[in-house]
Amino acid sequence: MSDGRTPIPGPSPSKGEGNFEALRARAGLQRWTFYFAIGLWLAVFAGLKLLVRPPMPASVLTIYMVLTTLAILIFVAANEARFRHFLAPLKAVFEGRVPRTLQVLVLTAMPALLAWGTYLRTAPSFDAPFEPRVVHPEPPASFPFHGKRIAVAGLQNPLRTGGPELEKRIAEGKTIYYQNCFFCHGDALGGDGHFARAFTPIPANFRDVGTISMLQESFVFWRVATGGPGLPKGATPWNSAMPMWQNFLSEEEIWKAILYIYAGSGSTPRTWDEEVKNDKQ
Amino acid sequence: MTSNDLRWLAALLLLAWGPVQGAVPAGVRMEPVKAVPVAADLKQGKALYERYCNQCHGNEGKGDGPAADFVYPRPRDFTLALYKVRTTLSGQIPTDHDLFKVISAGLPGTSMPAWKKYISESDRWQLVHYVKTFDSLGIFKDEPAKEQVAVSEAPKVTPELIAKGKEVYRAKKCWQCHGQYGRGDGTSAEGLKDDWRFPIRPVNFTKGWRYRAGDRVEDIFRTFTTGFNGTPMPSFVDAIPSAEDRWALAAFVKSLTRPPKNGQVLKARRIAGEIPGDPYARAWEEAEYLDFPLAGQIILDPRWFKPAHDVITARAIYNDRELAILLEWDDGTYNKGEGGKPADQVALQLPAAKITGDEKPYFVLGDRRHGVDYWRWNAGQGLARFTAAGHDRVTPREAGNVTAQGGYKDGQYRVILRRPLTPSGDNEAAFEPGRFVPVAFHLWDGHQGEEGLKMAISSWYYLLLEPETPLTVYLWPMGLGFVALGGEFWLLRRLRRRRNEEVKP
């Protein structure tokens, strides 16, 4: 069947392509270019689809895959020999130098794949609209609290003093936490209380490095005091189940609860000093 | 005598003692208890307990920690050594492995969490040792469990086995408490109390996610073989001596369960013709359902920590004129608002106006700037409609174009709410195919005294009228496919011609 013009890729080294072992090895590898390209494309796709959690939206995935396709094509086309090897299997199919069934299979599979890909694009999607949410928005300069206004800048936890007093306050904070917060934020402060799954966005996980351990207590006080309704627009205040705790707790109780969520999750708040240092850098 | 001899003597005595101590019912195979891998260090156990457990179970293990009044069921009082999830016979204390398993995996459907995520294995063993010290009768010390019920592998579950189990379920009167369809609505379900005199309800078998002792066939088999100590749920080994019958029963109970089916978008499919008013009609059975998890309303005053309901199921369909939503939930008691108890209720919440962007009303009863349209069905009084701009600004309005039909059957409510697609005024959401409309649910169980803000709530979800798929959706891919095919043939022809030309000269 072979007329010897374009070799059908395979492990056997072709004749007359240089005598050096290394060259031959490279040529040997190069003849697999087409399959490498397909394999690489599939691997990237599978990786993005299966390993990235939470799953990325379909539109983002499409962008990544278009970029991947372009990158692979550019790489392949950059070297003439490589490009030739890349096209070889396709040419072999079109020129009929492969078994008939394989030819028919490939020639029908390509339009079918294209049609399927198009269908995936045109088919209506019924996924919920994507709603981006700012998790840690800029706090306001000041906010209303029990009839007065509290300024966020420079606000510090007045109860965070040393000594045995602190232990007692943390213990009191624990009681406040388990009578008010654990339903949502969880027994072990993991954001998985027995009501948590009923709420979107899910309650914050205080053990996660992305929540209270990267926040200042002033920010946390603002969040606890004003809850979901106190959030600015970009943080979708209408969805947050976080209650407005100034309706239920005194100023001191909120500071105690805050002492406990840090102590219980084994984290420490960011301080103003750190903040100043970071700003200078 | 050496100490070794002594040990042998003790073992012999125990062997002789065993059968006397507690007669093993016929049809139950026992096996020795496994050894405990970690020795007790009570000081460490106490520290762990005071860090992780005392807020519920109390410093003295009496189940009276500061959180105890805020959860149902109540945290366990350890002083009486009464445990539910065991592998030991009815009335006996659990094995250490039983306690370890409960502490590790938690009790689904209660506030008792699975601690394996947060506490290391050896620390969990320390907690097992420490929890046992609360036993005021000293049973754990004097007569530790030596044998446990051996549960062999479940037989293959077949329709015949399930049918046989159904017969056992009927004959052994499980339905008296658990109800005919397992919804916890049996004739004796009401007024049950546990050994601590707290009210208790039979388990709803359909909720597979709430079996505290596990919902595999083997688990269910073990549960009614051992019984739940301290509750009205007895052991049924004496009543159902044949293991085969018990396997059949377990298979039947398992067949009543269904996993929750959650999602963000409730899709209404378009049907031709009338939307049936009978909630048991084919069109409704065929409509796709979704389960929406509910939580206690603990955001606004007065808060409600122990909601009766944890889920509501919804389906939706529409035709060229109207949209209908079927709401379904299990309730052990039918309350129409008589006998001093409020009526059972359900409410559907929609935005009161067209929403722009992703901005929505506050998810519980809206806010000052964004009102909600609130349709509430009451088992005694039927439909009432409100506009709410915050929980303290709820104003009644004419039901207008909204109608409701609801009923209670076999421990389950089914309520159909419907409205024409075109809004009748400005303060109503438009239902248009392809448009996402926010929707939320509220649910009340009058039997538990739920009314007003004492209710179970959901967050916002979406309702979507599935648009009919336009023909172009199929035409484009087909067209492109054919163009590609044509291209291939053109290329084939060209290549062949070129080859023929090359061969000729």
Side-chain angles (χ1 to χ4, degrees), chain B residues 187-386:
Chain B
T187 43
S188 346
E190 232 174 292
L192 291 177
K193 293 253 163 74
D194 67 13
D195 287 9
W196 296 269
R197 315 301 307 153
F198 290 115
I200 190 168
R201 295 205 59 85
V203 163
N204 180 338
F205 289 142
T206 62
K207 296 184 176 177
W209 60 93
R210 292 197 68 134
Y211 284 70
R212 278 154 298 168
D215 73 336
R216 297 176 312 148
V217 177
E218 291 88 343
D219 298 328
I220 298 168
F221 176 91
R222 199 192 51 237
T223 299
F224 61 78
T225 300
T226 64
F228 268 19
N229 288 347
T231 78
M233 174 63 206
S235 157
F236 280 87
V237 264
D238 295 323
I240 318 173
S242 146
E244 201 186 320
D245 283 356
R246 272 183 284 135
W247 277 120
L249 181 56
F252 171 68
V253 171
K254 172 76 195 177
S255 75
L256 298 171
T257 69
R258 69 175 177 84
K261 187 162 163 257
N262 299 132
Q264 290 296 315
V265 182
L266 175 65
K267 289 175 210 147
R269 186 143 307 151
R270 188 187 170 114
I271 61 163
E274 286 299 305
I275 293 175
D278 171 17
Y280 299 88
R282 264 276 295 284
W284 282 116
E285 294 293 339
E286 282 170 0
E288 192 185 327
Y289 70 86
L290 272 190
D291 295 321
F292 298 97
L294 303 175
Q297 191 289 106
I298 55 170
I299 295 161
L300 305 166
D301 201 27
R303 292 181 282 169
W304 185 239
F305 297 95
K306 297 184 260 186
H309 297 296
D310 65 343
V311 69
I312 186 166
T313 306
R315 304 168 201 255
I317 43 186
Y318 75 104
N319 62 16
D320 49 359
R321 277 181 301 111
E322 58 177 1
L323 166 80
I325 297 169
L326 170 63
L327 301 173
E328 239 176 83
W329 73 97
D330 294 353
D331 189 332
T333 50
Y334 180 38
N335 289 90
K336 292 203 294 184
E338 289 149 8
K341 298 225 167 181
D344 296 329
Q345 301 186 91
V346 67
L348 186 89
Q349 178 183 290
L350 300 159
K354 215 170 179 170
I355 56 163
T356 43
D358 63 354
E359 209 169 327
K360 293 176 206 155
Y362 186 55
F363 81 108
V364 198
L365 293 163
D367 54 66
R368 292 286 181 274
R369 290 194 301 127
H370 308 274
V372 295
D373 183 9
Y374 201 62
W375 309 350
R376 196 183 66 199
W377 181 85
N378 175 303
Q381 286 146 18
L383 180 74
R385 192 175 179 188
F386 305 87

Side-chain angles (χ1 to χ4, degrees), chain A residues 5 94-95 107 110-111 115 122 126-127 131 174 178-180 183 187 190 192 195 198 200 233 238 245 248 264, chain B residues 50-51 54-55 66 113 118 303 305 358-361 363 436 459 462 464 467 473 477 481 488 492 499 502:
Chain A
R5 261 186 306 163
F94 274 99
E95 289 172 352
L107 290 188
M110 284 199 300
T122 55
F126 300 131
D127 290 345
E131 288 172 359
K174 181 174 177 181
Y178 284 96
Q179 291 181 341
N180 295 287
F183 316 93
D187 298 86
D192 54 357
F195 288 160
T200 6
K233 229 166 150 183
W238 47 85
W245 285 105
F248 300 100
Chain B
E50 281 170 5
R51 167 142 191 227
N54 65 352
Q55 65 273 20
Y118 300 111
R303 292 181 282 169
F305 297 95
D358 63 354
E359 209 169 327
K360 293 176 206 155
F363 81 108
F436 289 90
S459 38
Y462 281 110
L464 175 74
V473 164
E488 278 178 357
L492 273 180
R499 186 149 48 162
E502 272 175 23

Side-chain angles (χ1 to χ4, degrees), chain A residues 87-162:
Chain A
L87 289 182
L90 287 174
K91 265 189 161 165
V93 167
F94 274 99
E95 289 172 352
R97 285 176 291 105
V98 293
R100 190 63 181 211
T101 39
L102 184 66
Q103 187 185 31
V104 172
L105 213 68
V106 172
L107 290 188
T108 46
M110 284 199 300
L113 266 178
L114 184 74
W116 185 57
T118 323
Y119 173 73
L120 289 188
R121 303 248 57 196
T122 55
S125 142
F126 300 131
D127 290 345
F130 179 58
E131 288 172 359
R133 174 172 192 269
V134 183
V135 179
H136 295 126
E138 192 67 27
S142 70
F143 58 92
F145 184 86
H146 289 171
K148 56 180 180 187
R149 282 200 86 81
I150 292 193
V152 175
L155 184 61
Q156 276 175 353
N157 192 338
L159 305 184
R160 195 176 283 287
T161 53

